[in-house]
Amino acid sequence: MIMAERAVPSRVVAAERVASEAGFKKSCIPEVGRLLRLAAAAKPHGVIAESGTGSGVGTAWLHSGLGAGARLVTVERDEELARRAAGVFADDDRVSVLTGDWRLLEQHAPFDVFFCDGGGKRDDPEQVVELLAPGGLLILDDFTPSPHWPPRFGGEVDELRLFYLTHPALDATEVLTTPASSAVVAARRL
């Protein structure tokens, strides 16, 4: 049996082109992108958020799972990147690309899905959790897998990852995305 290559949504391709043109090298990888699509698809009438739009690659993956009744709001502090990313979604009024600090998202909360890839993840993790609706999904990527408990990074306990994995308001797990990277996926308890 021949396996067909997994299709990449056209907006992801467009956002990857923007990243290349802008010299932006920190875009969402396809393995995380497929997880984002699944999370958005699980909340077809939800409010979906992203901190750290970049060139819009993660946004495009979220968009690929976006239900007709859902809204997607993303924020990027780099004005030029935000402008370019907004162009990828200019024809879809369900998508808002904000320019500025991640706290601009607070006025759109609570979130049914929150891909926290920029501000908030490290500087105010408690507020990140507070922005989730009951049953809301939180996705945090760019972790290095650890076979230890508590998880370690650079020879030390990874306090940030431990915070999310053990937070009393979350049911959380770590998912291997590639052999060298992982994501924390959590649901806010009802």
Side-chain angles (χ1 to χ4, degrees):
M1 181 169 141
I2 297 174
M3 299 295 282
E5 190 172 331
R6 293 169 116 174
V8 175
S10 60
R11 286 189 206 259
V12 172
V13 173
E16 287 173 339
R17 191 173 321 110
V18 168
S20 177
E21 291 166 0
F24 184 74
K25 307 244 187 264
K26 296 181 180 177
S27 292
C28 178
I29 62 173
E31 294 83 355
V32 172
R34 290 185 179 89
L35 179 62
L36 297 177
R37 177 173 53 200
L38 175 132
K43 305 290 185 172
H45 300 286
V47 179
I48 316 298
E50 176 188 36
S51 167
T53 313
S55 68
V57 174
T59 316
W61 280 108
L62 287 164
H63 183 271
S64 70
L66 201 63
R71 290 187 304 117
L72 171 55
V73 60
T74 180
V75 65
E76 172 57 46
R77 66 179 173 220
D78 181 299
E79 286 184 41
E80 181 62 17
L81 278 175
R83 185 188 63 75
R84 288 175 180 233
V88 175
F89 305 97
D91 65 335
D92 191 335
D93 61 7
R94 298 174 300 164
V95 181
S96 300
V97 180
L98 309 176
T99 304
D101 185 84
W102 75 277
R103 292 186 187 280
L104 290 173
L105 292 173
E106 292 174 1
Q107 60 193 315
H108 301 275
F111 301 123
D112 299 294
V113 176
F114 186 9
F115 177 39
C116 188
D117 194 33
K121 177 180 175 180
R122 286 177 167 57
D123 55 312
D124 197 350
E126 191 62 52
Q127 182 61 16
V128 167
V129 173
E130 288 301 314
L131 294 178
L132 289 171
L137 300 173
L138 177 63
I139 300 170
L140 307 147
D141 70 344
D142 300 328
F143 288 103
T144 301
S146 171
H148 307 285
W149 187 258
R152 300 178 77 77
F153 179 72
E156 304 288 328
V157 171
D158 186 341
E159 297 292 343
L160 181 68
R161 186 171 8 181
L162 190 62
F163 172 87
Y164 290 109
L165 288 171
T166 62
H167 194 286
L170 300 175
D171 284 310
T173 192
E174 190 168 356
V175 177
L176 200 62
T177 51
T178 72
S181 65
S182 64
V184 170
V185 180
R188 176 99 190 237
R189 291 190 173 126
L190 299 175

